């Protein structure tokens, strides 16, 4: 009886209060779930202080300890930045930060002679102020992560000047894309009539395809230096491998990733018959700036130097990031090209666009509900941009969590398939050693809590990948 009374009382609460309460409750539920998972993983970092027997051949105890301490520091940082983010988000909602920023944007527009009928102009000012606020509150965390954690563990290669210049450049480039795209999207929603959600979806599809096409040629070079991979054995072998699986390769680039970090990576991009491969210089043993430093140091050493000095250089060589040999780089690329050949890229685009269409359709259904706006402090007006923000960020958050988990599971499956593809190309042995090297170079910790890894890892844990490769490794 008491339960029914409390349910009745709940339904007597105005709809906008129920919506607001549900949004806050869900946000904190997700936060507590993530914190619970992180604590489970943190316990593993703290208690697994010795290399487990099954990893004996894969990782030496020194690297194991380094990676343990690195991940422990990252975990602590994650906890505090996550807590700050959740509290900040809650305070913005509780104290009406969103309607306040909207009114402030209106005031700025008023000073410039634009009245309330210029909703799109006001929306752009709102976006500019919101992204500026986000960039400024995120800056101390980003600085700490780069210059304390990454620096302490030997990954950071940036100076403070480079970092700040980079941050300003990122902000400006983001605005140059965000503001024109947003104004066009809002205009389409305004004039689109009953079927505006179809036009809005088609517009975002075209924008995402254009951005993918121009990103590596026009946007990425604003931040990093790209140079064509010089003629030689590695380039020839990459071209032969691409041709053997009909990958329409047009160019291979090396990106100077070592300017900002010693983490390594490789990817491909482009549509149809115009594919390019990008390799980070930190991935390539013969390109790595760090390896060049070692050669210079060992080259400077006189022959009759004391034993201690040569020991120091040996230690330096041992501790430096090593990158991968050519055969291993080819194996990593075999894996990446496997994603293309097996249609993983296309499948991901299709899933993303189906999701986007569904979201716009549901947005069209919900945008007329005034109680959604009232829940977030908008009683007199229902601006389109605010509707997008409320519905996509808050109302869809339970759906987004479920979708994100499903995509993580799918991504792990794709990774196993791409490994198996590299094995078919005869690269199992080289991929096996490349994965070990990359894990070591990036200080990945090879032991994980099953629940944490299931929820978060888009790539299978190292040991699982190695075991799968071992069972199919050619002798």
């Amino acid at each position: 009886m008491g339960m029914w009374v409390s349910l009745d009382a709940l339904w007597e609460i105005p709809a906008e209060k129920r919506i607001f309460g549900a949004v806050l409750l869900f946000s904190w539920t997700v936060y507590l779930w993530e914190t619970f998972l992180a604590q489970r993983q943190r316990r593993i970092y703290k208690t697994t202080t010795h290399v487990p027997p099954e990893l004996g051949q894969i990782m030496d105890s020194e690297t194991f300890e380094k990676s343990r301490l690195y991940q422990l520091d990252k975990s602590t940082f994650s906890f505090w930045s996550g807590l700050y983010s959740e509290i900040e988000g809650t305070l913005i909602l509780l104290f009406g930060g969103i309607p306040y920023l909207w009114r402030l944007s209106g005031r700025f527009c008023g000073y410039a002679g634009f009245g309330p009928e210029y909703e799109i102009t006001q929306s752009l000012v709102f976006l500019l102020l919101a992204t500026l606020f986000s960039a400024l509150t995120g800056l101390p965390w980003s600085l700490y992560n780069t210059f304390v954690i990454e620096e302490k563990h030997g990954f950071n290669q940036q100076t403070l000047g480079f970092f700040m210049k980079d941050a300003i450049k990122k902000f400006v480039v983001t605005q140059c894309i965000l503001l024109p795209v947003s104004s066009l999207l809002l205009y389409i929603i305004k004039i689109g009539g009953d079927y505006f959600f179809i036009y809005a979806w088609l517009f975002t599809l075209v924008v995402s395809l254009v951005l993918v096409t121009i990103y590596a040629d026009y946007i990425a070079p604003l931040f990093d230096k790209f140079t064509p991979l010089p003629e030689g054995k590695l380039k020839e072998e990459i071209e032969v491998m691409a041709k053997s699986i009909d990958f329409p390769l047009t160019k291979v680039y090396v990106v100077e990733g070592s300017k900002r970090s010693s983490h390594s990576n490789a990817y491909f991009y482009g549509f149809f018959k115009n594919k390019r491969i990008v390799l980070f210089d930190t991935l390539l043993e013969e390109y790595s700036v760090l390896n060049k430093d070692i050669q210079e140091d060992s080259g400077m050493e006189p022959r009759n130097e004391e034993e201690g000095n040569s020991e120091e250089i040996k230690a330096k060589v041992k501790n430096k990031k090593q990158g991968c040999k050519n055969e291993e780089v080819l194996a990593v690329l075999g894996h990446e090209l496997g994603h293309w050949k097996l249609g993983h890229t296309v499948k991901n685009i299709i899933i993303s666009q189906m999701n986007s269409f569904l979201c716009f359709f549901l947005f069209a259904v919900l945008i007329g509900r005034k109680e959604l706006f009232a829940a977030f402090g908008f009683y007199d007006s229902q601006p389109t941009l605010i509707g997008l923000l409320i519905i996509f960020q808050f109302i869809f958050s339970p759906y987004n969590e479920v979708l994100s988990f499903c995509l993580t599971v799918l991504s792990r499956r794709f990774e196993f398939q791409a490994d198996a593809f590299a094995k078919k190309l005869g690269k199992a042995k080289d991929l096996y050693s490349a994965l070990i090297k990359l894990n070591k170079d990036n200080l990945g910790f090879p032991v994980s809590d099953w629940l944490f890894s299931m929820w978060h890892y888009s790539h299978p844990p190292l040991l699982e990948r190695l075991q799968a490769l071992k069972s199919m490794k050619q002798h």
Side-chain angles (χ1 to χ4, degrees), residues 227-423:
T227 47
L229 181 68
E231 297 299 327
K233 196 162 182 274
L234 179 61
K235 191 180 178 189
E236 280 168 28
E237 286 177 331
I238 290 172
E239 285 167 349
V240 167
M241 183 168 71
K243 204 172 180 184
S244 73
I245 60 162
D246 304 317
F247 181 77
L249 179 64
T250 50
K251 284 186 182 132
V252 185
Y253 291 110
V254 177
V255 62
E256 202 179 352
S258 55
K259 256 194 167 175
R260 60 182 75 238
S261 167
S262 54
H263 288 296
S264 47
N265 200 0
Y267 62 91
F268 70 86
Y269 69 96
F271 282 111
F272 310 116
K273 300 287 176 195
N274 188 22
K275 307 272 187 202
R276 288 96 186 274
I277 286 173
V278 176
L279 305 167
F280 278 52
D281 57 352
T282 44
L283 178 70
L284 310 174
E285 201 175 68
E286 56 196 68
Y287 268 81
S288 176
V289 174
L290 298 153
N291 289 346
K292 282 175 189 165
D293 291 347
I294 292 166
Q295 284 160 13
E296 282 164 19
D297 285 346
S298 53
M300 287 189 297
E301 183 200 359
R303 279 176 180 236
N304 58 355
E305 195 80 48
E306 286 174 36
E307 186 65 25
N309 206 10
S310 69
E311 282 303 313
E312 194 184 307
I313 283 158
K314 272 183 201 163
K316 203 169 183 182
V317 170
K318 189 181 170 190
N319 288 337
K320 286 289 183 182
K321 307 287 179 285
Q322 73 221 74
C324 291
K325 295 192 175 82
N326 284 1
E327 303 78 36
E328 291 163 341
V329 172
L330 284 166
V332 169
L333 281 180
H335 167 96
E336 291 301 328
L337 297 183
H339 284 307
W340 170 79
K341 190 71 175 175
L342 298 166
H344 295 165
T345 319
V346 174
K347 284 172 191 168
N348 280 331
I349 290 171
I350 290 168
I351 291 168
S352 155
Q353 290 310 317
M354 281 167 65
N355 170 55
S356 176
F357 181 80
L358 175 69
C359 288
F360 274 117
F361 173 72
L362 292 172
F363 170 75
V365 172
L366 296 169
I367 188 70
R369 307 293 293 265
K370 291 191 174 176
E371 61 268 33
L372 284 179
F373 287 91
F376 293 89
F378 289 83
Y379 299 100
D380 306 320
S381 63
Q382 287 83 37
T384 307
L385 177 71
I386 300 300
L388 283 166
L389 176 73
I390 290 169
I391 292 167
F392 276 78
Q393 190 175 336
F394 300 123
I395 307 302
F396 288 171
S397 54
Y399 164 72
N400 288 336
E401 284 298 321
V402 173
L403 179 71
S404 170
F405 174 66
C406 292
L407 290 176
T408 302
V409 172
L410 184 68
S411 170
R412 283 199 295 266
R413 203 172 149 190
F414 283 171
E415 291 303 318
F416 277 128
Q417 289 174 3
D419 283 353
F421 183 84
K423 173 251 175 184

Side-chain angles (χ1 to χ4, degrees), residues 52-71:
E54 66 270 24
L55 291 165
Q57 301 300 308
I58 294 163
M59 223 172 178
D60 60 88
S61 55
E62 189 190 344
T63 309
F64 186 83
E65 183 60 10
K66 272 186 183 177
S67 75
R68 189 181 78 83
L69 295 174
Y70 175 51
Q71 297 300 336

